[in-house]
Amino acid sequence: MTTPLLEVRDLTVRYPTSVLAVDRVSFTLAAGETLALVGGSGSGKSSIAAAVLMLRRPEAGSVRFEGRELTALDERALRRLRPALQPVFQDPYGSLSPRLRAHDAIAEPLRVQGRWDPLTGPARVRELLDLVRLDPGLARRRPYELSGGQCQRVGIARALACEPRLLVLDEPVSALDPSVRAGIVNLLNELRDELGLGQLFIGHDLALIRHVAHRVAVLRHGRIIETGPAGQVWAAPADPYTRELLAAGDLLARVVQ
Ligand SMILES: Nc1ncnc2c1ncn2[C@@H]1O[C@H](COP(=O)(O)OP(=O)(O)OP(=O)(O)O)[C@@H](O)[C@H]1O
Ligand SMILES: [Mg+2]
């Protein structure tokens, strides 16, 4: 069997206030695959994202990325590996520096990693703009001169600048106007297929998740209560809580329409 891109075993996250946010969660993710984490507010989704990215070391459990145990690495070794695991967060404005023009925001990760070459750098930025389907004419704009959707595309281009193999997407479209969500989600699907990225996709909007995810894990109180191929979980949810989530999603979709 080939090594999965990401293998999480018995992950446990506890905060100093002794909140057990994630309770022995296990899942795997292959290259080119999207796994969605869904669940109500406070169910532990962002805590899993932070632990996978090693932004917060888990209390217990194992996080293997391409077969390497991340929890065993020191900060220096982690720093070398971080470009391969990139986050995209919910708030497209908040995750970009207000001073930086789109071009510089995309160049920044390359500069920080010492990979900026003044000869080839600008072409690389244009290539990244193209990859996220942003008009090169927008490259000189600052975040407040861009729409939410355009900002999120800059955020995705920044993540891609590092040539990651895994994207951890924590509600990447939740803060966006519903009219632009599908465009970003389609872009993420295309990038996954074009670049063979693995995606851990955290979300609330179950209709969108059905459109992106191959597999789904449903979280409640820090535990995975149901997991399976997205189509199967949607067609025949085994757990009453999943049925509740789906019913609430349908209701919301009808209200919004
Ligand atoms: N830094 C923190 N310190 C203490 N408790 C925290 C911290 N971050 C999260 N928690 C708690 O851990 C639990 C899980 O939170 P988490 O943010 O992972 O949930 P979530 O599923 O991402 O929720 P949401 O959908 O609202 O983003 C909650 O009880 C939350 O209050
Ligand atoms: Mg969250």
Side-chain angles (χ1 to χ4, degrees), residues 15 17 19 21 40-47 56 171 204:
Y15 292 106
T17 46
V19 177
S41 184
S43 58
K45 305 181 296 296
S46 296
S47 300
R56 173 179 289 275
E171 307 210 31
H204 272 127

Side-chain angles (χ1 to χ4, degrees), residues 13-221:
V13 176
R14 190 190 301 274
Y15 292 106
T17 46
S18 97
V19 177
L20 186 59
V22 179
D23 187 7
R24 287 164 291 157
V25 157
S26 302
F27 58 85
T28 60
L29 176 66
E33 185 186 33
T34 301
L35 171 70
L37 297 179
V38 302
S41 184
S43 58
K45 305 181 296 296
S46 296
S47 300
I48 294 174
V52 165
L53 292 161
M54 284 292 132
L55 300 175
R56 173 179 289 275
R57 283 184 183 267
E59 179 180 88
S62 150
V63 178
R64 280 183 178 271
F65 178 72
E66 296 175 336
R68 293 174 77 181
E69 180 57 57
L70 298 190
T71 59
L73 299 180
D74 62 16
E75 280 308 314
R76 239 181 103 202
L78 271 180
R79 214 174 307 132
R80 273 201 303 274
L81 204 65
R82 279 194 197 285
L85 304 88
Q86 284 295 306
V88 174
F89 295 111
Q90 179 170 2
D91 177 5
Y93 292 102
S95 40
L96 294 177
S97 162
R99 290 175 300 104
L100 286 188
R101 298 177 193 279
H103 176 280
D104 294 316
I106 296 169
E108 190 182 50
L110 296 169
R111 291 203 167 100
V112 168
Q113 283 171 46
R115 287 165 62 178
W116 179 257
D117 175 340
L119 284 179
T120 58
R124 174 70 181 141
V125 171
R126 277 197 298 280
E127 199 177 272
L128 287 160
L129 284 166
D130 195 45
L131 207 53
V132 297
R133 294 31 156 183
L134 265 182
D135 187 313
L138 301 176
R140 295 190 52 77
R141 296 208 191 163
R142 296 194 170 91
Y144 62 87
E145 298 163 325
L146 295 166
S147 72
Q150 289 167 340
C151 269
Q152 196 57 309
R153 284 173 197 264
V154 173
I156 295 167
R158 264 170 74 87
L160 294 177
C162 305
E163 293 172 46
R165 270 112 50 207
L166 171 68
L167 288 185
V168 177
L169 302 143
D170 193 349
E171 307 210 31
V173 298
S174 302
L176 301 177
D177 190 276
S179 66
V180 299
R181 286 182 189 167
I184 299 289
V185 160
N186 287 337
L187 172 69
L188 290 169
N189 277 350
E190 287 163 20
L191 291 171
R192 176 196 63 215
D193 296 342
E194 266 173 50
L195 306 173
L197 297 172
Q199 295 184 339
L200 190 60
F201 189 107
I202 293 170
H204 272 127
D205 184 335
L206 297 176
L208 275 186
I209 283 172
R210 181 158 38 183
H211 188 62
V212 293
H214 298 108
R215 285 186 303 124
V216 179
V218 182
L219 279 157
R220 190 181 193 197
H221 302 319

